[in-house]
Structures are given as structure tokens and as C-alpha cells.
Amino acid sequence: MSIVANFQITNTYIVHIFGASMCFIMGTIFEFIQTWISFKLTPQHSSLQTSRLRLSLSIITLLFMISFALFDMLGEYGGFPQDLRSIFKDVSAMSEWATAFSGMFFFLTFVHEFQTIGVEQCQRSLHLKYDSLV
């Protein structure tokens, strides 16, 4: 995501597209893997309802990502009139934002599970033998 934010599409097209591809493609793969893990952990650690919600959000993310890529390619293709290409680019940008937001909603499904995790501080005492140092 840092590559996408720091390298604007108007200035460095290739770097921006590379960063966006890494972010969205790898993010979608991550969502499907986490969804699969959620189904495997049902019912001990994850509810079936949460797993289904994650699957729905993963599919929505995938569909928006495909829409984003398709309309971006159509907007770049020179066979369409300029005003239609502009509409394709707008739809592509909206799909890109929808992909990002559906990914964020996916991460919000972990809030309940992360609330059950606790961390405790472990203290250990260190006993040195000074005789061996002399």
C-alpha cells in the first residue's frame, strides 16, 4: 500500500501499477486463505456466521478487483471514444476504492477474535555467579 500511496499513477505509472497489483492481488489471496482457516477453526475458535461473512467479503473483494482491472484496461484501449474511456476510468477508480474498503471490512471481522487474546508479562530473575567471572 505504501508503494501505491508514494508513487502516483500520473508520475510513475509502472511502479504504481506494480504496487497496486501486489496490494490487491496478495490481499485477496490472503483473504481467501484466512477464510479457509476460519472454516477449519469452526466452531472452536470461529463461528460459522463469521466464516460465511468472511467468504462473502472475500468474493466481493475479488469481484471488485476484477471490475477494477477490466475497466482500467477498457479505459486504456484506444478503440473507444474519449468520453466513454473517461467513464471506464471513473468506474475503474470506484472499483479500486470499493476493493480497498471491502478489504478493510474483512479485517474488521477479526475484532471479536482479537479481543479474546490476552498478553501477560513474564518476569524472570537472572542469577549470575560472580565466582566464575573472576
Side-chain angles (χ1 to χ4, degrees), residues 7 27-28 31 34 37 50 61-62 66 71 87 92 100-102 131:
F7 297 95
T28 304
E31 287 182 22
Q34 286 297 324
I37 291 171
T50 302
T61 301
L62 179 65
I66 291 170
F71 283 105
I87 292 172
S92 173
F101 276 106
S102 62
D131 295 339

Side-chain angles (χ1 to χ4, degrees), residues 1 3 10 12-13 21 24 30-31 36 50 57 62-64 69 86 91 95-97 119 128-129:
M1 185 65 89
I3 294 174
T10 55
T12 51
Y13 180 79
S21 299
F24 291 128
F30 172 81
E31 287 182 22
W36 178 74
T50 302
L57 288 170
L62 179 65
L63 292 176
F64 278 133
S86 178
V91 172
S95 296
E96 185 177 1
W97 278 100
V119 178
L128 294 175
K129 294 183 179 183

